[in-house]
Amino acid sequence: MSRFAFWAAALAPYDGAGRVDPARIPEQLGHLRSTGVRGAFVNGTSGEFPFLTVEERMSVLEAWAAARPEGFGLGVQVGGLPLATTRELAAHAKGLGVDLVATVAPYYGQAPTLAHLVRWLAEVAEAADGVPFCYYQIPSMTGPVPRPSAVVAAASVEIPTLAALKFTDEDLMELEAIRLARPDLRVYFGRDELLPAALAAGSDAAIGSLYNGLAPLAHAVVDAFDRGEIAQAHDLHRPFRDIARAATGPGFVKELMNRLGPDVGPARTPWGPATDADRAAIDRLVPLLRDALAAASAAPSAVPGTVVS
């Protein structure tokens, strides 16, 4: 296993009728551990949080907390709701012993000023009562928000528990600025298709949807990079970029990951189910991805069968 900490952006589990099915989560967890994933990030974008009720989000997190073994990380995204409900979810997460409570910025209407955003984040962090706090930067979904380096600098004064940032952004200059603002902050890189660039920028952790099915290949990318075989790392990473070019949205990615791991049902509308064109593209990708995974698993640095930390 590489030295890099890969967490999976956990997929929302549904039964055949499209209802949340927490009973599927132990299977998801077992698959992730077998492929070298060190943690799960629950109820994020890949977890379809905008389309889950508060009760569904709670039940999903409760199942992950009950199933996870010692040493397997667990984070949860609690945002996307009014502040009072977001705080309720943060307090609920604390009671389940999670390792990380995260939230996206409020994203409907006028983007908040830096001061308003930081105050909102501080209110959420306070409700988590001492749990390490993570700001989830994802402008492709929230729309324009203040620069994350500025958020980190200001939040460091107001949020004593600020410990991490989920950086789902393409601005690698900003990634460097974050590190300069808070060198001790754990930055989870969230653009799977840009992993080699993130490695060159010094990243050592990531949270992403593609690690639900392609974690062994991601570890192989890191191992090649660490050996100084940069061209090889870039070549090994090509399937991630192929997916990014073909994907039409989170629903596409979920259906693809269902082919490479436990099938937890199509995404809810409006992200799913996949169209005929999506399924045809997925059919073309899957054999190539399985070949790439087989090659990565056969390499000397392949991920061992069971990972406990």
Side-chain angles (χ1 to χ4, degrees), residues 3 54 68 93 125-126 167 246 268:
R3 48 86 185 173
V54 171
R68 71 156 173 162
E126 180 186 52
F167 185 80
R268 283 182 172 175

Side-chain angles (χ1 to χ4, degrees), residues 92-178:
H92 174 257
K94 176 192 168 51
L96 294 172
V98 302
D99 300 303
L100 203 64
V101 168
T103 181
V104 294
Y107 53 81
Y108 188 82
Q110 180 67 35
T113 66
L114 177 61
H116 284 105
L117 173 56
V118 171
R119 177 84 312 257
W120 193 89
L121 297 175
E123 294 273 5
V124 178
E126 180 186 52
D129 191 23
V131 178
F133 182 72
C134 175
Y135 171 51
Y136 181 2
Q137 162 83 3
I138 182 165
S140 62
M141 292 293 186
T142 63
V145 291
R147 290 183 298 109
S149 60
V151 174
V152 164
S156 295
V157 177
E158 292 201 40
I159 306 175
T161 55
L162 181 66
L165 177 80
K166 186 178 187 298
F167 185 80
T168 307
D169 202 334
E170 299 83 19
D171 189 346
L172 298 183
M173 288 291 289
E174 191 60 21
L175 182 60
E176 181 184 32
I178 292 162

Side-chain angles (χ1 to χ4, degrees), residues 192-200 217-242 245 292:
D192 309 0
E193 69 275 20
L194 296 178
L195 177 60
L199 291 170
L217 189 55
H219 280 293
V221 171
V222 175
D223 289 337
F225 183 90
D226 286 350
R227 293 193 302 267
E229 299 172 1
I230 308 305
Q232 175 70 359
H234 186 74
D235 187 57
L236 285 167
H237 182 260
R238 179 176 177 175
F240 290 85
R241 303 191 299 275
D242 289 342
R245 293 186 185 98

Side-chain angles (χ1 to χ4, degrees), residues 72-93:
F72 188 85
L74 182 61
V76 61
Q77 197 288 124
V78 298
L81 294 162
L83 180 58
T85 314
T86 300
R87 283 172 55 87
E88 179 186 357
L89 288 176
H92 174 257

